[in-house]
Amino acid sequence: MKELLIIAIGSALVNNVVLSQFLGLCPFLGVSRRVKTAASMGAAVIFVITIASFFANLVYNGILVPLHLEYLETIVFILVIAALVQFVEMFLKKFSRSLYHALGVYLPLITTNCAVLGVAILNVQNSYNLLESVVNGIGTSVGFTIAIVIMAGIRERIEYNDIPESLQGTPIVLVTAGLMAIAFFGFAGII
């Protein structure tokens, strides 16, 4: 149980997928304009990364390793992730049209979100079993959600501030992301 807690905290805070590993920056920067949309994107990413971690581990250990096809892991993981994102997209389109439209083009971008693929590959590289893979997936996606919601909150507040013209828009967002990354490096001593 202690190891699972270390994996969860480590992947959420210490090795935050966005602010420490710099994976998943496209949705992080693109969907973080409003807290509500950012939280929705975070929820979708939590679902996809958790399920992708589960299925990627099953496919890797149940099919690729016994058949000695480990070299196909990246291609197979991409296919698993793409199928899961399509499932999430169909689900949201049917049951939550407003959320489906709010996420817009960024929902299909979860398929190409390198954070999702990165977690699946890191699970294999760290030799995590099925439970550890799922816990790492949950921790990583919660860390992504924490980062994107904090960024959205900051962006909502700085929208009304007097910012020099040369820093308006993307530059101030990148400066903010850099400062957040520095702040998250403070968690490095936890584990």
Side-chain angles (χ1 to χ4, degrees), residues 24-34 37-38 40-42 44-45 48 85-86 88-89 92 99-114 116 144 148 155 170:
L25 289 175
C26 180
F28 175 71
L29 297 173
V31 185
S32 62
R33 295 185 197 280
R34 299 280 171 248
T37 308
S40 301
M41 179 62 150
V45 169
V48 171
V85 170
Q86 290 302 311
V88 170
E89 189 171 3
L92 289 178
L99 179 56
Y100 174 77
H101 290 296
L103 291 175
V105 70
Y106 292 102
L107 186 58
L109 281 178
I110 294 175
T111 303
T112 59
N113 186 345
C114 55
V116 183
F144 176 87
I148 197 170
R155 285 181 76 173
T170 304

Side-chain angles (χ1 to χ4, degrees), residues 34-92:
R34 299 280 171 248
V35 171
K36 183 178 179 184
T37 308
S40 301
M41 179 62 150
V45 169
I46 287 172
F47 179 76
V48 171
I49 288 182
T50 302
I51 300 300
S53 296
F54 177 79
F55 283 110
N57 187 285
L58 286 179
V59 169
Y60 184 79
N61 291 318
I63 298 172
L64 297 180
V65 170
L67 296 176
H68 304 292
L69 298 173
E70 295 91 345
Y71 60 91
L72 294 175
E73 75 180 30
T74 304
I75 295 169
V76 171
F77 290 169
I78 289 171
L79 293 173
V80 168
I81 292 164
L84 290 170
V85 170
Q86 290 302 311
F87 171 73
V88 170
E89 189 171 3
M90 290 185 308
F91 179 83
L92 289 178

Side-chain angles (χ1 to χ4, degrees), residues 32-35 149-163 172 176:
S32 62
R33 295 185 197 280
R34 299 280 171 248
V35 171
V149 168
I150 290 172
M151 174 60 93
I154 293 170
R155 285 181 76 173
E156 283 183 359
R157 293 195 54 113
I158 65 174
E159 185 177 319
Y160 303 107
N161 291 344
D162 187 27
I163 298 171
I172 194 68
T176 303

Side-chain angles (χ1 to χ4, degrees), residues 120-148:
I121 291 173
L122 285 173
N123 287 339
V124 169
Q125 288 177 348
N126 292 329
S127 301
Y128 287 155
N129 62 33
L130 185 62
L131 182 59
E132 291 170 337
S133 292
V134 171
V135 169
N136 186 47
I138 292 170
T140 300
S141 55
V142 167
F144 176 87
T145 303
I146 290 169
I148 197 170

